[in-house]
């Protein structure tokens, strides 16, 4: 199947998914909480994407859902809540989210080879589950990431429902962190693509941003969700205890799952990657350690 046909099929699945979610929001039974209505609609859309994944025997159908859903969810909430009060902060948040969404979705469009390819982690997750592979596929590959992204959108809901506080210095910090995070991730991905196009088999990347962090793209992704938390804190300081739940969830995912899996794979495929681990910081960018000189 060609890349173009694959993208069309993924696009059709997303249209059907968001149509199902929109139908639920428009005509389904409402709960007492708008955020809960949004979560149910999000899970309905996820279920449609999961069905497409199973039909095509490829869970990479879900990959772009991560970046397409957030701006649509924010707009759906905003339309339902209305435009009362000071909306400058909401526009800033939407701008950062759209900027991030375009960058990440564009990265997927560029890197996605087609539905003949599937992310190497998904078959491993299914294989480990044995007879429960369908459950592992639904929960581990589709539902858990959806819940993580929804948790990351909690401060957006806080911003939309708290419009009595004007713009302040914390909003400026949040904007700078959010934009900087997207630029950092874009630069890291671009450097990796250029390296991959010319590197020798088994060679490890440790130049540019990748010499300051072994996973600068993950750090940039975490920083984006942290920025949304900062916007939420600026809108409602009294909600400090829960506006960072999404950023914490992302950090836990990267440190507890994504990074260990990626590093184990790199150690198996790249003989010099242990040297990278010894010199280059794991997550937060900082100058690398100096390489030790052997004594003759």
């Amino acid at each position: 199947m060609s890349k173009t046909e694959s993208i069309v099929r993924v696009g059709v699945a997303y249209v059907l998914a968001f149509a199902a979610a929109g139908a639920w929001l428009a005509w389904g039974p409402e709960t007492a909480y708008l955020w809960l209505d949004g979560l149910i609609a999000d899970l309905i859309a996820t279920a449609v994407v999961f069905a497409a994944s199973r039909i095509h025997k490829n869970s990479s159908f879900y990959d772009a859902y991560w970046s397409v859903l957030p701006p649509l969810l924010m707009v759906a909430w905003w339309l339902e809540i209305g435009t009362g009060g000071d909306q400058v902060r909401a526009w800033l948040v939407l701008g950062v989210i759209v900027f991030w969404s375009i960058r990440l979705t564009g990265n997927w469009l560029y890197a996605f080879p087609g539905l003949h390819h599937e992310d190497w982690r998904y078959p491993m997750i299914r294989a480990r589950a044995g007879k429960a592979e369908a459950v592992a596929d639904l929960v581990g590959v589709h539902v858990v990431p959806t819940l993580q992204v929804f948790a990351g959108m909690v401060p957006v809901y806080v911003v939309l429902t708290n419009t009595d506080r004007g713009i302040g210095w914390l909003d400026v910090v949040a904007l700078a962190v959010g934009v900087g995070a997207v630029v950092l991730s874009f630069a890291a991905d671009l450097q990796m693509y250029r390296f991959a196009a010319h590197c020798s088999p088994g060679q490890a990347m440790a130049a540019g941003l990748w010499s300051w962090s072994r996973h600068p793209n993950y750090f940039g992704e975490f920083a984006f969700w942290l920025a949304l938390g900062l916007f939420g804190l600026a809108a409602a300081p009294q909600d400090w205890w829960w506006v960072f739940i999404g950023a914490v969830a992302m950090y836990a995912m990267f440190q507890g799952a994504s990074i260990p899996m990626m590093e184990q794979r790199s150690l198996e495929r790249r003989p010099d990657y242990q040297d990278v681990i010894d010199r280059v910081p794991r997550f937060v960018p900082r100058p690398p350690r100096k390489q030790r000189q052997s004594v003759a």
Side-chain angles (χ1 to χ4, degrees), residues 222 246-256 283-284:
F222 162 73
V248 171
M250 296 296 172
Y251 181 83
M253 178 190 69
F254 290 139
Q255 295 288 6
F283 190 62
V284 179

Side-chain angles (χ1 to χ4, degrees), residues 23-276:
W24 171 269
L25 291 175
W27 300 296
E30 295 181 357
T31 70
Y33 306 98
L34 180 58
W35 66 266
L36 183 55
D37 294 331
L39 175 58
I40 294 172
D42 194 359
L43 290 171
I44 289 172
T46 300
V48 175
V49 176
F50 171 69
S53 295
R54 300 299 291 184
I55 291 171
H56 289 82
K57 297 180 174 59
N58 190 328
S59 294
S60 282
F61 248 86
Y62 182 85
D63 289 351
Y65 186 81
W66 177 287
S67 59
V68 173
L69 180 279
L72 297 178
L73 180 58
M74 179 177 180
V75 170
W77 275 339
W78 202 349
L79 291 174
E80 186 66 25
I81 292 170
T83 57
D86 189 350
Q87 298 295 321
V88 175
R89 180 178 295 109
W91 281 110
L92 291 178
V93 173
L94 182 60
V96 171
I97 290 177
V98 169
F99 185 36
W100 165 85
S101 178
I102 291 173
R103 199 289 304 179
L104 193 54
T105 307
N107 182 64
W108 173 80
L109 287 170
Y110 175 81
F112 181 56
L115 288 173
H116 60 276
H117 167 82
E118 184 179 30
D119 189 297
W120 59 272
R121 291 167 290 190
Y122 302 156
M124 184 172 64
I125 291 172
R126 295 194 297 267
R128 288 177 177 176
K131 294 182 179 180
E133 62 88 16
V135 176
D137 191 12
L138 172 62
V139 177
V141 179
H142 294 78
V143 172
V144 169
T146 288
L147 294 178
Q148 287 180 306
V149 171
F150 190 86
M153 292 294 290
V154 164
V156 176
Y157 185 82
V158 171
V159 167
L160 293 173
T161 53
N162 292 269
T163 58
D164 56 333
R165 293 179 62 88
I167 294 295
W169 66 268
L170 190 54
D171 296 284
V172 177
V173 172
L175 180 63
V177 171
V179 172
V182 176
V183 173
L184 173 65
S185 296
F186 173 79
D189 286 337
L190 182 61
Q191 289 176 1
M192 179 57 77
Y193 289 140
R194 289 176 174 173
F195 169 79
H198 301 96
C199 69
S200 302
Q203 185 180 357
M205 171 59 153
L209 292 170
W210 298 84
S211 68
W212 283 57
S213 169
R214 300 201 298 271
H215 304 278
N217 52 340
Y218 287 162
F219 178 78
E221 181 72 11
F222 162 73
F224 164 75
W225 297 104
L226 178 64
L228 297 188
L230 291 173
F231 276 121
L233 184 63
Q238 71 277 7
D239 291 332
W240 62 268
W241 58 277
W242 74 310
V243 293
F244 293 105
I245 185 173
V248 171
M250 296 296 172
Y251 181 83
M253 178 190 69
F254 290 139
Q255 295 288 6
S258 299
I259 289 177
M261 292 172 70
M262 291 295 294
E263 301 218 316
Q264 182 59 42
R265 190 168 190 252
S266 292
L267 285 170
E268 294 170 355
R269 302 175 66 197
R270 298 175 174 86
D272 57 346
Y273 192 69
Q274 184 59 55
D275 176 66
V276 176

